[in-house]
Amino acid sequence: MVHRYRLQMIAVASFLAGAFFTWILASTGTDGYFFRSLLYPWMYAVVLIGGLVLGVTVSVKSAVATLVPFAVPQPLTALWQGVGPRPETGGGLWVVGFVSSTVLLVFAVGCIAIGVCVRLMFRR
């Protein structure tokens, strides 16, 4: 029974981990913006390197189920910050967060594809 829902369980655990790390980034970021945290470039690098490693080592389904839900809470948080009015700021700063997190999501899928290509190159 566990094998039947393995990818769904991986995706839910990955989403929860991504939400936790987004919360950490938002709490350490300036004015509550996750992309203004000093840890954000490091998380960016970890996600991209993780995409390469996952693409090389596991199946494509498992890699996507692990990495994509991890990166999804950030665009959702940026959209949520855009919905709520913030009179003390310009109000358009959430767009920067949405763009940077969407780029991270696209690059994560690209790194999985690069990892798969590397795996196929060295296959005999």
Side-chain angles (χ1 to χ4, degrees):
M1 188 70 167
V2 173
H3 295 292
R4 182 176 179 185
Y5 299 107
R6 182 177 62 88
L7 291 177
Q8 288 89 348
M9 288 190 305
I10 290 171
V12 168
S14 176
F15 182 78
L16 292 175
F20 178 70
F21 282 110
T22 302
W23 175 74
I24 289 173
L25 291 173
S27 64
T28 59
T30 308
D31 295 330
Y33 289 109
F34 64 90
F35 58 91
R36 294 179 82 180
S37 171
L38 293 175
L39 301 173
Y40 192 64
W42 293 100
M43 199 218 55
Y44 217 87
V46 165
V47 168
L48 297 181
I49 292 170
L52 285 172
V53 170
L54 285 171
V56 170
T57 57
V58 299
S59 70
V60 175
K61 279 183 174 179
S62 297
V64 170
T66 302
L67 205 56
V68 170
F70 184 82
V72 165
Q74 292 177 5
L76 294 177
T77 303
L79 286 175
W80 183 259
Q81 289 173 342
V83 170
R86 287 191 170 206
E88 67 274 1
T89 60
L93 201 54
W94 68 272
V95 176
V96 176
F98 182 73
V99 169
S100 67
S101 58
T102 305
V103 166
L104 175 66
L105 185 62
V106 170
F107 282 3
V109 173
C111 284
I112 291 172
I114 291 170
V116 169
C117 290
V118 168
R119 179 177 53 192
L120 292 175
M121 270 187 347
F122 293 108
R123 193 172 83 179
R124 292 180 191 208

